[in-house]
Amino acid sequence: MAEPAEQEFLRSIFLMEAWDTVAALDCAAATLARPEGVDELFVVTHRLKGAASLHGFPNIAELAAELEDALAGRPPDTRRLGALVGHLKHALDAAVNAPPAAVGVATPAPRADASLDPLRKELEAFFAGNADVIAYFLPEATEHLDGVTSALGALERGVDEADVARLFRAVHTLKGAAYVVGCVRVGEVAHRMEDVLVVAREGRRPLTPRAVETLFAAEGALRLMLGLPPDPRANVTDVVAGVRARLDALLDGVPVPAPAPPAAPFPEPVPALSSSLAALLSTPRPAPARAAPRRPPRQTIRVNLERLDSLMDLIGEMVIDRERVDQRLDEIDRVSAALLASRGRLAQCIADFERRQFDQRRPVPPAKPAAAATAGRSVSELFAELEFDRYDDSGIFARTVAEIAADIAELQSELTAVTRSLRDDMAHVHRITGALRSEIGRARLVPIGSLFGRFVRQGQAAARAAGKSVRFETRGEAVELDTAIIEQIVDPLLHLVQNTITHGIEAPDERRACGKEAAGTVTLSAAHEGGAVLVEVADDGRGIDPDLVRRRAVAQGFVPADAELDDDQTLDLIFLPGFSTASAVTTAAGRGVGMDVVRTNVRRLNGDVEVRSVVGEGTRFTLRLPLTLLVSEALMITVAEERLAVPLNAVQLVTTVRPEDVRPGPRGEAILVGEDLVDLVPLPTILGLERGPRRPRRPVLVVRGAGRTLAVEVDEILHKQEIVIKPLGEFLTGVGPYGGASVGADARVTLLLDPGALVETAARANAVTRAARRREAAAGEAPAPRRRVLLVDDSVSVRRFVGQMLEKAGFDVTTAGDGADAMARLAEAAFDVVVTDLEMPRVNGYELIDDVRRRPATRSLPVIVLTTRAGDKHVALAKSLGVQHYVTKPVEEHAFVTLVASLVPA
């Protein structure tokens, strides 16, 4: 968590950029008069919405969303724009001295004017005075409401007694819990819902589609009251009053009134003042009283009691094994003490021997004259010559050393036995720790069905808004995923669901004309496959036409007109940033954002997303996700003396390839895997590393990513290992086909390959090579010179990383440290593209661009701005100098290389 000073600094930057957005919106009339004015304003409002959400200002984010809706009209509603800009100014004034809202706290968000919403004020007071209730009541209420959503979704497909009973239990339990904790208003709405269900179960009133719709509205009202999620624009009092009126009408048997149109989130606005930003900033602003921030509750999950019992059993075994290991350590201490005593005995024996034999201070006995063999000698001396064991100093020393050696040998045997037992005990401890890790990981798992219910509700709302009839089916709701993964796939899955409704499902009349049912079907399913979970979003709509995608990609400049793409590669283009097949720009489609975010977020989890489509039959998106993010299994390999890791769930086959196994394929070398011909590429070539000599038998990994299979040749396959994956950080994100890194026990950093990015990098390099060969064959002469790029940046790291990125794609890169250096390079040689930063010493990026545009030889030279400055003023100044491509760091490799390639003349 950031320090207070850092938070204040980031907040000041956000507010400064927000006021820049206000200045741009103040000039909306002039901007909208231009052909691209709507898109320019949409970009700044969209950026404001994301930044406000990130910095914890939900009210400003909601206003930005309203501005997006106003801009989506044809023509844009300028009166509404002016009113919203006025509210935005007031919100920014209030945000100057007010602390940002705690992100992620599921508490009712404050409204602009609480006096007009007494029920919201009452609920806020309840949660503020009962902070401990948030920790346990909101998670329980969320679970019950998910059950209500699931049961109502089933009732929409047909009334079943089991579903009615399940709905009744969820509502009844929620009512009781709300009354117990003192949240009376929530309990009253749940009580009304329960009364409706009691009447239905007794057969007095049928559950008609209008009744189910009313119960859906009541469920939404309960979520609004609990702030799940917060909606500062809604009037809780009016919403709850309308829902209760509809529930009372169901109980009384009178026609249910139609839901009232949503009230304007704010009172009738006054016309926006056309003041300049300087005057606006100089106006004195009242400093509201700073409220003491309430500490957000810690995140919690509900764990099954059986799993806790299993964890306690493992902990008990760990305690026993710890005692056994302690006993082994005591035995090692005893052996160590015995070895120390033996060493002392040996040292003492040697010291005694040296003292008796080599001490110069002892008198030396005189030599005896030679005499007869037995003359003058005692019997003991004669016996000593006959005895084999000598009892002189040498003999005693030799026997002592032999005894000590025997003791040491016995201790060595004991130490070996203790070590063997200790290894067995440690192996058992490793098994228990592995089981404990697995059980702890399982304790973090939650059923994915809780997400499906949310998507069904939001999908039905989107279908009604689009005038389409959609039936949702769910399968595999009991499949469990890690809580962290669940939280990060919410947005990708929600976008896919909305995408199927916007692009996939046809209108009822169109479906009937094609011989289909008027109601389309969207299927959400989950299933285990190996060590991964497959989550699928499928529809029976019109499908994705590869020819249409190919034409749009060529028209939008993503691929050249002569590109050779099969259907799978063509469908993969929908994940490119900025690509869209929508014929018109709306709030739901046409802006080219969404699918690239889906793939990016899924790959951040070391997963992958694939798409399969049949024209006229439907589309299926498949997300392959790991079970948990705690520890992952990887296959360790070496390439050019570098150690790398490959996610084990992406490896389909590990094999060795002989020269006779390699066959010619459509894109180079290939091998036969089963009945499929799979491209074979050397991994050093993809990574830009030095390739060593080929061996007779080459280790090969067959990996799957981005919906395709690729055989990768490596130098050596080491072993399987459990690793903890760490993110690379914002600066390195998108650089190379890497998904993260791990630090080993030897403190060595190991990069983790991203299979999807690896497959895409190989395909891109292959496409560049084949395009160069076609140009050479068409020219019928020497190879054409490489495309030249001038990269200008004062950061050595940026020049190195971006330069390597472009060189791998086949570009000839020349680097310059600042604008002055770049001017000298431009005077010496010709370039096809210039990529420049803005803030640099001596000559900055704007001055360099101005110099390029003034020179006749470089006036038409394409220029790409690559910078961290994303403010509207910076973009506007660059565009005024003729820059058409403005890219903010960090850069995504595939999109950036594609952009550079599109600007280079053939």
Side-chain angles (χ1 to χ4, degrees):
M1 186 174 180
E3 297 295 331
E6 184 180 354
Q7 288 182 340
E8 188 65 27
F9 174 71
L10 294 175
R11 189 161 70 108
S12 64
I13 293 179
F14 160 72
L15 292 174
M16 182 173 60
E17 293 182 349
W19 283 111
D20 289 341
T21 303
V22 170
L25 292 171
D26 274 339
C27 304
T31 305
L32 292 174
R34 299 198 301 268
E36 298 180 352
V38 176
D39 288 338
E40 293 179 11
L41 292 179
F42 185 88
V43 169
V44 298
T45 54
H46 184 77
R47 185 185 300 121
L48 175 62
K49 181 177 71 173
S53 300
L54 179 65
H55 289 83
F57 293 96
N59 56 336
I60 298 177
E62 294 291 344
L63 285 171
E66 288 287 332
L67 286 167
E68 286 185 344
D69 293 340
L71 289 170
R74 289 294 182 267
D77 190 347
T78 54
R79 184 171 178 271
R80 187 183 176 197
L81 278 175
L84 290 173
V85 170
H87 290 303
L88 179 60
K89 292 176 181 178
H90 290 302
L92 290 175
D93 286 337
V96 170
N97 295 315
V103 180
V105 181
T107 56
R111 194 172 184 267
D113 190 355
S115 62
L116 302 178
D117 195 352
L119 181 55
R120 180 188 291 274
K121 186 176 181 180
E122 179 182 346
L123 291 170
E124 289 176 356
F126 170 77
F127 284 110
N130 300 273
D132 56 328
V133 172
I134 300 176
Y136 59 86
F137 174 62
L138 286 185
E140 181 184 4
T142 302
E143 181 179 346
H144 294 317
L145 289 174
D146 289 340
V148 170
T149 303
S150 176
L152 288 174
L155 289 175
E156 277 195 330
R157 298 190 290 270
V159 177
D160 182 80
E161 291 297 330
D163 294 327
V164 175
R166 182 157 56 97
L167 176 61
F168 179 82
R169 285 194 301 270
V171 173
H172 177 77
T173 307
L174 176 60
K175 179 199 72 173
Y179 279 139
V180 167
V181 302
C183 194
V184 179
R185 300 305 181 190
V186 172
E188 289 175 350
V189 176
H191 200 164
R192 287 285 198 286
M193 296 176 66
E194 184 185 32
D195 292 341
V196 172
L197 294 173
V198 168
V199 172
R201 296 181 74 184
E202 293 176 353
R204 290 184 284 163
R205 296 279 189 276
L207 275 180
T208 61
R210 178 58 65 89
V212 174
E213 182 181 352
T214 301
L215 291 173
F216 259 123
E219 182 263 352
L222 288 172
R223 291 183 182 271
L224 178 63
M225 296 170 73
L226 296 171
L228 300 170
D231 187 357
R233 298 176 300 147
N235 190 304
V236 180
T237 304
D238 295 342
V239 172
V240 173
V243 166
R244 293 184 63 169
R246 297 173 65 184
L247 292 172
D248 290 340
L250 285 177
L251 290 172
D252 297 337
V254 299
V256 178
F266 298 99
E268 185 66 24
V270 297
L273 299 175
S274 57
S275 57
S276 64
L277 181 61
L280 185 63
L281 291 174
S282 62
T283 304
R285 299 168 183 163
R290 185 180 296 272
R294 181 152 43 93
R295 184 176 181 180
R298 299 181 63 184
Q299 291 186 350
T300 60
I301 58 174
R302 303 185 69 180
V303 181
N304 192 302
L305 186 60
E306 294 181 359
R307 292 185 176 175
L308 291 179
D309 291 340
S310 178
L311 287 173
M312 291 305 300
D313 292 341
L314 290 173
I315 292 296
E317 293 188 35
M318 283 284 291
V319 171
I320 296 173
D321 282 342
R322 186 186 64 183
E323 293 178 356
R324 293 170 59 185
V325 171
D326 287 340
Q327 291 177 2
R328 304 301 183 197
L329 293 176
D330 291 339
E331 293 180 14
I332 291 178
D333 290 339
R334 180 184 58 80
V335 173
S336 176
L339 285 173
L340 185 62
S342 297
R343 188 185 69 174
R345 288 175 56 199
L346 181 60
Q348 184 62 40
C349 181
I350 293 174
D352 293 342
F353 182 76
E354 289 179 343
R355 186 174 62 253
R356 287 192 295 265
Q357 296 295 326
F358 305 108
D359 193 348
Q360 300 295 330
R361 293 171 297 179
R362 297 186 61 186
V364 180
K368 297 181 180 180
T374 58
R377 303 180 67 184
S378 65
V379 175
S380 60
E381 292 176 337
L382 296 175
F383 175 77
E385 294 180 356
L386 300 176
E387 182 61 49
F388 291 101
D389 293 332
R390 303 287 182 178
Y391 289 96
D392 54 6
D393 291 339
S394 298
I396 293 173
F397 177 73
R399 283 193 298 273
T400 303
V401 171
E403 291 174 2
I404 295 174
D407 292 342
I408 292 176
E410 183 178 354
L411 292 173
Q412 180 66 37
S413 300
E414 292 183 17
L415 184 60
T416 302
V418 172
T419 304
R420 188 182 303 112
S421 300
L422 184 59
R423 288 186 182 277
D424 294 339
D425 293 340
M426 290 306 300
H428 194 243
V429 170
H430 281 306
R431 286 194 296 270
I432 293 179
T433 52
L436 191 60
R437 177 184 61 80
S438 177
E439 288 296 329
I440 292 175
R442 290 184 60 203
R444 292 173 53 89
L445 301 181
V446 295
I448 198 172
S450 60
L451 279 185
F452 286 171
R454 185 190 312 179
F455 298 147
V456 168
R457 184 179 63 257
Q458 295 175 340
Q460 288 168 336
R464 286 192 291 268
K468 299 179 180 180
S469 179
V470 179
R471 179 175 60 252
F472 283 85
E473 296 180 358
T474 58
R475 303 169 189 161
E477 295 93 334
V479 173
E480 295 178 323
L481 274 174
D482 192 290
T483 307
I485 296 178
I486 288 284
E487 292 174 354
Q488 296 186 50
I489 65 172
V490 170
D491 290 340
L493 282 178
L494 178 59
H495 182 82
L496 291 179
V497 171
Q498 294 177 338
N499 198 64
T500 59
I501 296 172
T502 303
H503 295 284
I505 301 297
E506 311 95 331
D509 295 339
E510 183 181 349
R511 290 182 64 85
R512 293 191 190 96
C514 297
K516 300 180 180 180
E517 295 182 4
T521 301
V522 176
T523 303
L524 304 175
S525 62
H528 288 282
E529 184 179 279
V533 172
L534 300 184
V535 181
E536 294 185 345
V537 179
D539 66 78
D540 64 345
R542 61 173 59 92
I544 303 176
D545 186 359
D547 294 333
L548 173 63
V549 174
R550 197 176 290 110
R551 290 195 301 271
R552 290 290 175 85
V554 172
Q556 297 175 19
F558 287 98
V559 295
D562 59 346
E564 298 178 1
L565 301 175
D566 56 26
D567 288 348
D568 291 340
Q569 293 173 324
T570 301
L571 291 179
D572 206 51
L573 295 175
I574 66 175
F575 296 103
L576 292 177
F579 181 79
S580 176
T581 59
S583 57
V585 177
T586 66
T587 57
R591 306 221 175 249
V593 295
M595 295 306 297
D596 62 316
V597 178
V598 171
R599 172 162 282 183
T600 300
N601 289 352
V602 172
R603 285 187 175 174
R604 192 177 294 128
L605 300 172
N606 294 310
D608 200 7
V609 56
E610 302 176 6
V611 56
R612 291 287 182 270
S613 183
V614 178
V615 177
E617 296 184 10
T619 305
R620 180 181 303 274
F621 289 91
T622 303
L623 278 64
R624 182 181 297 271
L625 302 167
L627 285 173
T628 179
L629 296 178
L630 292 177
V631 179
S632 299
E633 290 186 332
L635 195 64
M636 310 304 292
I637 62 174
T638 57
V639 176
E641 299 183 356
E642 295 289 339
R643 187 174 66 184
L644 302 173
V646 182
L648 195 60
N649 58 6
V651 179
Q652 293 189 335
L653 180 66
V654 178
T655 184
T656 56
V657 174
R658 296 170 298 182
E660 56 267 25
D661 297 330
V662 180
R663 307 184 180 189
R667 290 171 290 273
E669 293 185 339
I671 61 173
L672 199 61
V673 179
E675 298 180 356
D676 300 326
L677 197 63
V678 179
D679 292 339
L680 174 65
V681 295
L683 187 55
T685 303
I686 301 177
L687 302 180
L689 302 175
E690 184 178 354
R691 184 175 176 180
R694 283 191 169 181
R695 291 178 289 180
R697 299 180 67 89
R698 294 180 265 171
V700 170
L701 301 179
V702 180
V703 299
R704 183 167 182 82
R708 298 190 295 275
T709 305
L710 180 69
V712 181
E713 178 188 341
V714 302
D715 292 346
E716 186 179 4
I717 300 174
L718 300 177
H719 53 267
K720 183 184 78 171
Q721 183 175 330
E722 291 183 341
I723 61 174
V724 178
I725 303 172
K726 302 294 183 182
L728 293 175
E730 290 295 332
F731 185 76
L732 296 178
T733 299
V735 178
Y738 305 110
S742 176
V743 180
D746 56 354
R748 183 177 179 181
V749 177
T750 301
L751 291 174
L752 179 74
L753 292 171
D754 180 354
L758 186 66
V759 172
E760 290 178 350
T761 303
R764 188 163 57 249
N766 186 277
V768 171
T769 303
R770 287 187 288 123
R773 290 175 180 173
R774 286 198 303 269
R775 288 195 298 269
E776 294 174 12
E781 55 188 18
R786 297 176 68 188
R787 300 165 295 178
R788 303 198 64 188
V789 176
L790 177 60
L791 176 60
V792 189
D793 201 297
D794 58 334
S795 170
V796 178
S797 300
V798 172
R799 294 201 301 269
R800 180 172 181 179
F801 282 114
V802 179
Q804 290 180 350
M805 180 191 307
L806 295 173
E807 286 175 349
K808 282 194 301 182
F811 295 98
D812 184 7
V813 181
T814 301
T815 60
D818 54 29
D821 193 10
M823 291 178 181
R825 298 286 186 274
L826 288 169
E828 296 171 355
F831 295 91
D832 298 310
V833 179
V834 173
V835 179
T836 180
D837 191 14
L838 292 181
E839 297 184 53
M840 296 179 293
R842 297 198 293 176
V843 177
N844 61 41
Y846 292 118
E847 296 169 336
L848 172 63
I849 297 170
D850 184 60
D851 182 77
V852 168
R853 292 291 176 255
R854 285 190 289 102
R855 296 186 185 188
T858 59
R859 186 169 298 159
S860 60
L861 182 64
V863 177
I864 301 175
V865 171
L866 180 62
T867 179
T868 56
R869 291 294 187 182
D872 296 331
K873 294 181 179 179
H874 301 87
V875 178
L877 180 55
K879 288 184 178 290
S880 68
L881 295 174
V883 174
Q884 299 296 325
H885 304 281
Y886 196 98
V887 181
T888 56
K889 302 172 185 176
V891 62
E892 201 278 323
E893 180 175 354
H894 177 56
F896 186 70
V897 170
T898 303
L899 172 62
V900 176
S902 66
L903 298 178
V904 175

